[in-house]
Every structure is written in C-alpha cells, then in structure tokens.
Amino acid sequence: MKKDFLTLKDYSADEIEYILNLSLEIKKNKDKYCNVLKGKNIAILFDKHSTRTRLSFEVGINQLGGNAIVLDAKSLQLGRGESYVDTAKVFSLYIDGVIIRTFSQETLEIFAKYGSIPVINGLTDKYHPCQVLADILTLKELGMLNKKVKFVYIGDSNNVANSLIIGFSKLGIDITICCPEKYSPAKEILEYAESQKNGSRVYIVNNPVDAVKDADVIYTDVWFSMGQEMDDSKLAELKKYQVNSELLKGAKKEVKIMHCLPAHPGQEITSEVLYGKNSIVLKQAENRLHAQKGLLVYIWKVIQGNKE
Ligand code: CP
Ligand code: NVA
C-alpha cells in the first residue's frame, strides 16, 4: 500500500504516537533498523534551500540501509518546464519514494496522485509536517507533550505554525498562536483543528506580553519564509512579537525556547535568547533525523511490510 505524508492531517493521533515511539526506539537501537530500506532508492527533490531536512533525510535513509538520491528540481527537466504529472510517472518507474520540498502544496498533491510511490512533504508554503514531527518528539522526550504545558507560538502564521496547529490539535493539546491580526492562521486551518473535537483549543491572541504569561514553551519562526519578499510594513507590524529577554520575563523561568531554524537573529528572536540556556533549538534539529527515520520505517516497514 502506498502511504504519503503530505500533511499531518493524513495521519491519525494513534499513528503520530506510534511514529513518535518508533522514532525513540530507533534513536536508542540504531543498528536494529539498519536494513529496513535495503534495496530502496529514495529521491530527495528540492525546489528550495535546505540544510536540516536535506541532510537528515539523506543520512537517515543511508542509516536505514537505503540509497538517497538528492536532486535539485531546477537541474531536472522540471526546470525546463516538464510537468510534475510526467515527472511523477517517470520517478515511479525507478524510485521507491520521494521527499519533496517545493512552493505549492498542490504540486505535492499532483505528484502523489500521478505517481505510485510514497511522497513525503519536506516543506511547502503551507505545511512543514516533518519539522513538527521532530518538534513534538522533542517535547515528548522532555516530558512536555501533555495538556498541562502552555505552548505559545509567536510571530508569522506560516507553514510551521499551520503544522503545529494541526499536530497539537490532533494530539488533543492546546496551543496559543500570538500574532498581529493580519497574520493570523487561515480559517481552514482553524476549522480543521476545531473539527478534531477532542477538547483541545487553539487560542489566537494579539498581545505577546499576555500570550507568554506563564508559558512553558515559546516557539518562533522567521517572519519571511522562503519565497516571500521582505516587506517593511510586515516587519513593522511584527516588531513587538520578537522573542527577546524582556518578553521572556513574563514566562516561566525554565521556559523552553524553540525555533525550527534557520533563524534571523535580531529579527524574530534575539541571539541572546536563541543561543541562551533555555534554548532547545539544537535538540529540535537533532531530532529531525530521528523523527524522519521513524516516519520512513513506519511507511516502509509497518505499512509496506518491507522484508529486510
Ligand atoms: N528546519 C528546516 O526545515 O531546516 P532546513 O530548511 O535547513 O531544511
Ligand atoms: N517558515 C520557514 C521554515 C524554514 C525551515 C520557511 O518556509 O522558510
């Protein structure tokens, strides 16, 4: 059976929990899983820059015994206008799966529809589910993935924020999004969270000082995602949403600071906070590898039953 990972919406809460536990198990027993992808060729097709996603998938696939093929979309015939429909059909003749980082979520959906191989979202303008899988894994490791934790995302309601909202609402955990009204999450994302009907809430607030009061975790991301132009008016509106030591005064003393990286120190977060003692950004980056291995093992061993 072909199983894609285009958004966290595609997976039930039980599946997400399963992948998190599997990721922790693989992290502890690396050697036990070294043949899961034996004989599999998996492409990493990127249309945007990447360090963590690219490296962690490449290393993860290799550690699982598979062969990772890293491709720059521009250097394929895609870059000369060949369609994603034909590309998906051709990839399916040689390749066993593909991780795609591109602009539009629809491109990924087209690939998944016309190809016969699993498609994993390595980031689109709309979602970044692999990042959030690693983020919730990081919180789980710290014993902070539960209803008692006050989790606040501050800044632009972008792809990372969308995936955080979906992931948290699936798991029945509250999340606060603090942003200027103009940069609020799309209605569609909030409606999806609402539809989970498990008692969790998404709070949308505009005042950062109120939002971080007693926060256990503060997460931020860039104000201008890849593909977006710098815009002075957005910069001015987001200025008071910077995560800095003054803002942190209202949060719990041991508040954890999260950022998916890359960061723009001095913009959405100060260097002092990004590299400070409460920061867990490198744990998040490290867990990209383990969460992705959990996802790969889930798709290829649990769903597809690859015999080692
Ligand atoms: N966080 C993240 O996805 O990083 P890269 O853009 O370096 O892959
Ligand atoms: N929101 C950021 C995340 C980068 C990992 C972007 O899309 O550029």
Side-chain angles (χ1 to χ4, degrees), residues 53-251:
T53 310
R54 180 196 152 157
L55 277 175
S56 55
F57 267 114
E58 194 171 352
V59 170
I61 291 165
N62 289 334
Q63 287 182 352
L64 294 170
N67 180 38
I69 303 168
V70 180
L71 300 163
D72 171 9
K74 285 177 206 66
S75 71
L76 300 188
Q77 294 290 8
L78 274 172
R80 294 181 57 244
E82 187 172 19
S83 72
Y84 270 95
V85 172
D86 287 355
T87 306
K89 289 179 184 170
V90 172
F91 266 47
S92 303
L93 302 174
Y94 319 129
I95 301 288
D96 298 289
V98 60
I99 295 111
I100 302 179
R101 170 169 287 197
T102 190
F103 295 87
S104 151
Q105 183 72 12
E106 285 72 41
T107 303
L108 228 65
E109 286 162 8
I110 287 171
F111 211 110
K113 180 172 170 194
Y114 290 95
S116 56
I117 53 174
V119 177
I120 294 175
N121 184 348
L123 180 148
T124 60
D125 293 346
K126 193 167 181 182
Y127 298 124
H128 196 1
C130 289
Q131 177 66 49
V132 169
L133 212 49
D135 295 337
I136 54 186
L137 180 69
T138 305
L139 292 172
K140 187 178 170 74
E141 268 188 320
L142 293 169
M144 296 182 80
L145 190 64
N146 60 62
K147 289 182 202 296
K148 283 189 237 137
V149 167
K150 181 172 177 188
F151 183 98
V152 184
Y153 175 93
I154 303 190
D156 187 32
S157 299
N158 59 16
N159 42 10
V160 171
N162 287 343
S163 288
L164 283 169
I165 293 172
I166 293 170
F168 273 65
S169 63
K170 283 242 165 198
L171 297 177
I173 302 174
D174 295 347
I175 177 169
T176 299
I177 304 287
C178 178
C179 55
E181 205 168 332
K182 188 171 168 195
Y183 298 105
S184 295
K187 203 166 151 239
E188 173 208 337
I189 305 289
L190 299 176
E191 282 173 357
Y192 180 82
E194 185 91 3
S195 75
Q196 295 307 295
K197 301 217 180 317
N198 55 20
S200 65
R201 295 281 309 270
V202 181
Y203 299 100
I204 308 294
V205 297
N206 305 126
N207 184 323
V209 176
D210 292 346
V212 303
K213 194 166 182 313
D214 296 326
D216 297 287
V217 184
I218 298 175
Y219 195 126
T220 190
D221 184 21
V222 292
W223 293 342
F224 302 96
S225 287
M226 288 180 277
Q228 290 180 344
E229 294 286 320
M230 228 285 275
D231 164 354
D232 285 339
S233 77
K234 186 176 183 185
L235 198 59
E237 280 191 80
L238 280 163
K239 205 166 171 224
K240 70 172 184 181
Y241 296 83
Q242 184 189 64
V243 177
N244 54 38
S245 47
E246 183 57 34
L247 187 66
L248 258 51
K249 283 182 185 160

Side-chain angles (χ1 to χ4, degrees), residues 6-24:
L6 306 185
T7 150
L8 283 162
K9 287 184 192 175
D10 297 341
Y11 285 55
S12 68
D14 284 350
E15 280 181 298
I16 295 171
E17 294 278 6
Y18 186 94
I19 293 168
L20 295 177
N21 288 327
L22 190 56
S23 306
L24 291 175

Side-chain angles (χ1 to χ4, degrees), residues 256-270:
K256 302 285 183 246
I257 303 300
M258 298 182 79
H259 193 306
C260 59
L261 303 178
H264 287 89
Q267 211 166 80
E268 75 277 3
I269 189 165
T270 57

